[in-house]
Amino acid sequence: EDKVVQSPLSLVVHEGDTVTLNCSYEVTNFRSLLWYKQEKKAPTFLFMLTSSGIEKKSGRLSSILDKKELFSILNITATQTGDSAIYLCAVGWASGTYKYIFGTGTRLKVLA
Amino acid sequence: DSGVTQTPKHLITATGQRVTLRCSPRSGDLSVYWYQQSLDQGLQFLIQYYNGEERAKGNILERFSAQQFPDLHSELNLSSLELGDSALYFCASSAGWDRPNTGELFFGEGSRLTVL
């Protein structure tokens, strides 16, 4: 069965801490892994990863994919209260069409 | 702004009623996906359209239906509404199977449906 598992389910840290969020997957015909940040409303696109070992970076956020071990991590350095959100991982896979499976997310709370 | 537009933003209705949610994808995107997100639940895939044709179905109830029109906008119809249908309904779009940047998926702001 195709699945995406995120860990931890929730995390509470203090401002300035560094966090690592994990996403593991089992899908056939893997094409891409996507990270999203969801605050009150719509998931906001962060990264799409398709190749192993190539880090994607945007400000304090970075992510990397390991296609051999079937996982990805999202790192957030020097966390701020504005980073508090649910972080979603999704895997895009192909089977006649392009489909996406989402994990249940990691709820991050950053305390001042 | 993701470029995906959904209307209405909020909708309150009674059990047994029918509603239609509308989605306009990003300019040039051919694929439209519908998701349901209930309180503290993950994103549940409902249905996908590609260039007017249904391509994949997820956990979509028989009371729900959707279509994608020639101008690529999509509508999700929810009928015989029940209390449990109260949720955020998201539309997302992507370029499509054979387009550049295949894989990037962008979400609209969602339609919050409350069934009383």
Side-chain angles (χ1 to χ4, degrees):
Chain A
E1 182 187 343
D2 301 309
K3 61 181 178 181
V4 175
V5 178
Q6 292 186 245
S7 63
L9 291 179
S10 64
L11 194 53
V12 180
V13 300
H14 288 91
E15 273 192 319
D17 288 349
T18 292
V19 298
T20 298
L21 310 183
N22 303 290
C23 176
S24 64
Y25 62 91
E26 289 180 30
V27 299
T28 52
N29 297 320
F30 170 91
R31 292 299 180 97
S32 60
L33 188 142
L34 300 91
W35 284 99
Y36 290 87
K37 177 183 182 182
Q38 185 176 24
E39 296 174 90
K40 294 196 187 307
K41 273 283 195 89
T44 304
F45 177 79
L46 295 175
F47 299 112
M48 184 176 79
L49 303 134
T50 56
S51 301
S52 273
I54 299 175
E55 184 183 53
K56 290 225 172 174
K57 197 170 170 65
S58 176
R60 296 177 294 102
L61 277 66
S62 64
S63 183
I64 197 160
L65 173 67
D66 185 328
K67 289 168 74 172
K68 183 179 176 187
E69 300 297 328
L70 308 183
F71 78 92
S72 173
I73 60 172
L74 175 68
N75 280 318
I76 308 175
T77 59
T79 51
Q80 301 171 358
T81 55
D83 296 327
S84 297
I86 297 173
Y87 290 84
L88 296 166
C89 169
V91 169
W93 59 286
S95 175
T97 187
Y98 210 101
K99 300 180 184 179
Y100 299 87
I101 301 174
F102 280 80
T104 52
T106 293
R107 187 181 294 271
L108 173 66
K109 187 169 178 65
V110 182
L111 303 175
Chain B
D1 182 2
S2 68
V4 179
T5 304
Q6 286 188 249
T7 57
K9 288 186 169 38
H10 300 276
L11 195 54
I12 301 174
T13 189
T15 54
Q17 295 298 303
R18 172 190 168 95
V19 299
T20 297
L21 310 180
R22 183 187 167 102
C23 168
S24 294
R26 289 190 320 157
S27 177
D29 282 358
L30 299 180
S31 272
V32 169
Y33 300 76
W34 285 97
Y35 289 87
Q36 179 193 57
Q37 189 176 44
S38 302
L39 195 62
D40 289 334
Q41 296 283 315
L43 284 161
Q44 300 297 316
F45 170 64
L46 296 178
I47 197 164
Q48 180 213 355
Y49 282 82
Y50 175 79
N51 203 18
E53 292 184 7
E54 180 186 305
R55 281 300 182 94
K57 262 187 173 179
N59 300 321
I60 188 165
L61 300 171
E62 285 191 13
R63 300 183 284 109
F64 296 180
S65 65
Q67 53 185 325
Q68 186 179 29
F69 295 86
D71 66 352
L72 301 177
H73 91 270
S74 178
E75 292 181 356
L76 179 67
N77 301 297
L78 315 175
S79 61
S80 302
L81 285 167
E82 302 175 359
L83 296 177
D85 297 328
S86 296
L88 257 177
Y89 291 85
F90 287 109
C91 167
S93 75
S94 72
W97 177 251
D98 57 349
R99 294 293 189 89
N101 294 325
T102 291
E104 293 178 359
L105 183 68
F106 294 90
F107 283 81
E109 289 294 309
S111 293
R112 183 173 294 281
L113 172 66
T114 302
V115 182
L116 299 176

